[in-house]
Amino acid sequence: RAEDEDDVSPYKEMKTLARAVELIRQDYVNEDQTSYEDLIYSALRGMLEELDPHSDFMEPKDFKSMQQDTRSEFGGLGVVVGLKNQRLTVVAPMEGTPGFRAGLLPGDVLLEIDGKSAEKLSLRDAVEMLRGEPGTTLSLAVSREGEPEPLRYEIEREVIKVPSVRGARVLEGSGPKIGYVRVTQFSEPTGREFSRALDDLSRQGIEALVL
């Protein structure tokens, strides 16, 4: 029936959404929060969050960041950052990267990134600020246990490559030759990296594999 078709049509509810957006733009007290993009992105985030914990809306900048992660190659400092006691903290600098060479240490608390306080930054925003075009310079201020004053660094970003297949080797011991290889994450290069590791282990005559 015609009325049943109307029930599944999105246009009526789209009018409701459009009207709500216009009212917010017209009447909300803070104009900085009422651009069409901000409002529609917020609506999309809410819509996806209502489905289940695994559904999410990604803004273009978040999608770009995800693509960098899956390529395992990006411009940055080469430091893993996490939240510890609600503070942005260096978990570990990756060996051979600009952050490692500059002297950043596990446990360093980020105070400033390019002159901006890191106190209220989300982990996602902090990672986005740390990354950037190779060859550009980033200033950091960190707090380190045992140091009375903040430590300041000027670090040039480089292309950071994150291998996802590590530790390929033949395990020691008598008996059958057993190969070992560890996959730390799944990304675009993982298949190629694993294939190379397995070929190398096969040339060494392994009879079994611990993956």
Side-chain angles (χ1 to χ4, degrees), residues 8-87:
V8 298
S9 169
Y11 298 112
K12 179 181 177 182
E13 303 310 326
M14 289 298 290
K15 288 180 182 178
T16 304
L17 176 62
R19 179 61 177 150
V21 168
E22 289 303 330
L23 286 172
I24 293 170
R25 282 176 57 83
Q26 174 183 304
D27 297 328
Y28 188 64
V29 65
N30 188 347
E31 292 183 357
D32 292 339
Q33 294 178 260
T34 60
S35 73
Y36 283 123
E37 183 178 275
D38 288 339
L39 293 174
I40 295 301
Y41 282 3
S42 294
L44 288 167
R45 275 193 294 271
M47 181 169 58
L48 271 293
E49 286 171 2
E50 284 294 310
L51 296 180
D52 60 66
H54 311 291
S55 299
D56 193 13
F57 168 72
M58 302 185 77
E59 296 182 29
K61 63 180 182 179
D62 297 328
F63 183 63
K64 183 178 179 181
S65 178
M66 185 199 72
Q67 288 179 310
Q68 291 176 335
D69 287 339
T70 57
R71 283 198 300 267
S72 289
E73 183 175 319
F74 54 86
L77 306 184
V79 291
V80 179
V81 177
L83 284 175
K84 184 178 180 182
N85 299 323
Q86 301 304 309
R87 305 181 77 186

